[in-house]
Amino acid sequence: MASAASVRDRFRINESNAALLDELEAIDPIEPVLPERNTARELLGRLAVPPGAVDDIVDRLPAIHDDSDARWLVARCYTQLVRRIGAREPGRLRWPSLADADEPLAPYLYVAIFLAAVPDIERWYVDHEIASAILWATLADVGGRMAIRARVSGRRGLDTEQHWLTQHFTGQLFQLGRLQFNRSSVWYEAGTLEELEAGFAHGDPALGVHIRRAGPLDPTECDASFALAREFFDRYFPDHHYRVAVCTSWLLDDQLADYLPADSNIVRFQRRFRMIPGASPGNDDVFEFVFDGKKPDLDLPPQGTRLERAIVRHLRDGGAWRVRTGWVEL
């Protein structure tokens, strides 16, 4: 009989995830309905899952359904997910990492959960009269994340991005044109807010701004995204009154402006925001998003793109990249 202990051992879930398993064990689960083969193929296509991974997923769905340990985890995570759809307070769910598992089903368990949850989040969109185009643009991040994982590690499925994607399936995050926006709050301390209007404080509602790896940060497209965000959240979340949008990213490192032209898309994107004091180390973020997680060889000739050359030059000169946070009033 499946249990938290058998799931932990089967999928090699480490002790740092023990509390997450305890939370799942306390859940009275709803049994998810995994889609039939043809429906699964159609949904995976709409989720932008790489074609090469579709057969792997479809072929494993019956095994996931029939495997007691897999079903134990899938049912409880699915229950957590669908019970959180439309939650007033923003936030993402935390699910155990399966990155250490050598079980063939492991990379596909979270994909199966998201597949089962598509009808649930689709009903929520319909009930709130949100356009289906926004739904599918938002959920397509599943395939985008899988493609990055395959490119970086050579492995299919999902085992490290599941936390982020729970927001897409619970009405917390939306793809609005070029940019993603999630329901969030001002997390930095009040002492950094002196430039904001009186009455706006730590913990107040704010939108998070996120950039998918989907081509250039075209300024016109970004303008359109911010305009869409103002209209969208005023219409569908009028009680929250989102006055500012906040972005935390290595793309806001002002050192990039020392290497890139003033009219480059990245520098123009930075100028939208007013920076808050402080920074955190950003080299790992740069390596992940620009070099697919691989540290560039600084002894090789300059890299292919202007951005890559800028990053390498800065590192060669002994510099380090940073993650900065900026805000823009809506």
Side-chain angles (χ1 to χ4, degrees):
M1 184 175 177
S3 64
S6 67
V7 169
R8 181 194 61 220
D9 294 342
R10 173 82 175 280
F11 298 110
R12 299 177 64 180
I13 296 172
N14 60 40
E15 286 301 316
S16 65
N17 287 260
L20 301 180
L21 279 178
D22 290 343
E23 289 179 21
L24 292 173
E25 190 168 34
I27 289 174
D28 183 15
I30 304 167
E31 195 67 31
V33 178
L34 298 180
E36 299 293 333
R37 293 181 68 91
N38 289 340
T39 302
R41 287 183 183 280
E42 179 186 352
L43 290 177
L44 291 167
R46 303 197 77 172
L47 299 181
V49 169
V54 170
D55 285 342
D56 283 352
I57 298 166
V58 170
D59 289 345
R60 283 170 172 79
L61 289 178
I64 291 171
H65 178 270
D66 294 339
D67 186 287
S68 60
D69 289 324
R71 197 166 62 249
W72 188 97
L73 184 65
V74 167
R76 283 161 175 79
C77 291
Y78 167 81
T79 302
Q80 266 194 335
L81 189 70
V82 298
R83 286 178 176 168
R84 185 160 176 75
I85 291 175
R88 181 174 176 83
E89 293 302 317
R92 68 187 75 172
L93 294 171
R94 302 290 297 178
W95 290 343
S97 171
L98 305 179
D100 295 331
D102 55 8
E103 163 61 53
L105 295 181
Y108 304 100
L109 298 186
Y110 292 130
V111 181
I113 295 165
F114 292 134
L115 274 177
V118 167
D120 299 283
I121 187 60
E122 190 171 16
R123 280 193 294 272
W124 185 83
Y125 269 69
V126 170
D127 290 344
H128 288 76
E129 299 181 341
I130 301 174
S132 62
I134 295 176
L135 169 71
W136 297 114
T138 300
L139 300 190
D141 206 13
V142 173
R145 299 278 166 163
M146 289 178 64
I148 293 169
R149 180 185 187 276
R151 190 164 63 244
V152 170
S153 67
R155 300 171 64 191
R156 292 174 174 172
L158 283 171
D159 54 25
T160 57
E161 298 282 356
Q162 64 272 12
H163 314 307
W164 173 251
L165 291 167
T166 61
Q167 298 178 100
H168 304 51
F169 286 81
T170 55
Q172 306 292 323
L173 180 147
F174 305 89
Q175 184 80 42
L176 301 174
R178 178 63 182 87
L179 303 172
Q180 294 174 329
F181 297 85
N182 71 310
R183 296 165 52 206
S184 187
S185 61
V186 175
W187 54 265
Y188 39 87
E189 293 304 320
T192 66
L193 299 173
E194 48 277 300
E195 293 182 318
L196 287 170
E197 295 178 15
F200 198 87
H202 175 85
D204 281 358
L207 298 180
V209 183
H210 308 279
I211 307 105
R212 280 189 64 189
R213 280 194 264 183
L217 268 177
D218 181 81
T220 301
E221 293 182 6
C222 292
D223 287 343
S225 283
F226 277 101
L228 282 170
R230 284 192 293 270
E231 178 184 348
F232 180 89
F233 288 95
D234 280 349
R235 178 176 179 181
Y236 296 110
F237 299 94
D239 295 340
H240 291 74
H241 190 40
Y242 293 103
R243 292 176 54 193
V244 296
V246 179
C247 183
T248 299
S249 174
W250 64 273
L251 284 166
L252 296 188
D253 187 345
D254 51 335
Q255 296 178 112
L256 285 165
D258 296 334
Y259 298 92
L260 301 176
D263 63 350
S264 70
N265 289 344
I266 290 175
V267 174
R268 293 175 70 178
F269 185 76
Q270 290 183 350
R271 290 203 296 263
R272 295 174 184 273
F273 297 90
R274 297 163 73 176
M275 295 299 132
I276 70 165
S280 58
N283 280 354
D284 288 345
D285 291 67
V286 171
F287 298 156
E288 177 182 353
F289 287 98
V290 181
F291 299 105
D292 287 336
K294 303 175 183 68
K295 182 178 179 179
D297 188 337
L298 303 185
D299 295 327
L300 292 177
Q303 308 300 306
T305 68
R306 186 165 57 189
L307 176 60
E308 290 171 346
R309 291 193 294 271
I311 289 167
V312 169
R313 179 181 168 190
H314 186 66
L315 294 171
R316 280 178 175 170
D317 291 344
W321 294 106
R322 305 173 300 185
V323 171
R324 297 292 308 275
T325 295
W327 62 270
V328 59
E329 193 157 7
L330 293 171

